[in-house]
Amino acid sequence: MSDESSAELIKSAGDFIGQHRDLYIQSGGAKGHIIDNRNVGGHYFATTCLIRYQGRKSGRWMITPLCYGDIGGEVVIVGSKGGADHHPSWYLNVHDMDEMQFQIATQAFRAKIREPEGAEREKVWTYMVDSYPYYANYQKSTDRLIPLVMLTPQEEIPVFTMDDFDRKG
């Protein structure tokens, strides 16, 4: 998918993404964990998490909602950006980090992060495509290898609030 097509897709989804994130945060995670993502080829009952990370250039804290999978006690998130030819900004921000934070429903955690490789990556990719079929189409539309990020919970932390993002760290 061209970057221009991706930009149009992201722009049209932008309001939904921001509203979804804000609902998730303002409800303390009681709302927003489950969404209907049939409009992008997904399921009616899709699970989402929030990730919190610091911008590598701006130093600002950001929170992004993403679909996730759970494999062996690790949370999996996918850097698809709708099949764009470049990685999503959240991925570029966390790529060289060892830790980040995530929230699922009403629980948040500090987590170690890693990227699976080889046979493990293939197994995780297959699981995520089975769970979210549109990822297969996204991969077909770009030459880049869509990254997978595994989050290993370390300790529980307070759920995210509106004060937890878009500010200098």
Side-chain angles (χ1 to χ4, degrees):
M1 175 182 293
S2 73
D3 288 344
E4 292 80 23
S5 298
S6 173
E8 290 176 30
L9 179 66
I10 300 296
K11 184 179 178 183
S12 68
D15 285 343
F16 172 77
I17 293 169
Q19 290 170 2
H20 174 226
R21 178 199 60 219
D22 293 352
L23 172 69
Y24 209 131
I25 293 170
Q26 290 169 349
S27 71
K31 296 181 181 178
H33 175 236
I34 307 296
I35 63 168
D36 178 355
N37 71 1
R38 290 177 291 182
N39 61 327
V40 293
H43 304 290
Y44 173 70
F45 197 79
T47 55
T48 61
C49 69
L50 297 174
I51 61 169
R52 182 175 181 261
Y53 52 94
Q54 193 169 25
R56 68 195 185 286
K57 294 178 184 174
S58 70
R60 297 179 82 121
W61 286 99
M62 293 167 256
I63 298 175
T64 301
L66 296 168
C67 292
Y68 75 92
D70 176 1
I71 298 179
E74 289 183 288
V75 172
V76 183
I77 52 178
V78 180
S80 66
K81 197 171 184 178
D85 291 329
H86 58 283
H87 295 309
S89 59
W90 71 259
Y91 174 76
L92 297 173
N93 284 311
V94 306
H95 177 66
D96 292 324
M97 297 173 65
D98 293 327
E99 293 184 353
M100 60 184 290
Q101 300 167 356
F102 72 95
Q103 179 175 330
I104 294 177
T106 59
Q107 292 182 283
F109 300 88
R110 185 179 54 79
K112 296 275 187 192
I113 62 177
R114 67 184 186 88
E115 293 187 45
E117 297 177 352
E120 181 191 25
R121 187 198 188 286
E122 289 306 311
K123 178 181 173 185
V124 172
W125 177 255
T126 298
Y127 174 82
M128 292 305 289
V129 168
D130 286 346
S131 300
Y132 302 97
Y134 47 81
Y135 287 139
N137 293 330
Y138 293 168
Q139 185 60 77
K140 289 177 189 172
S141 68
T142 185
D143 290 332
R144 73 180 173 93
L145 183 63
I146 292 178
L148 300 171
V149 177
M150 309 287 285
L151 308 173
T152 306
Q154 299 298 300
E155 68 178 332
E156 194 164 355
I157 60 174
V159 296
F160 304 158
T161 69
M162 294 302 281
D163 291 333
D164 285 337
F165 70 100
D166 202 29
R167 60 181 172 80
K168 286 285 182 184

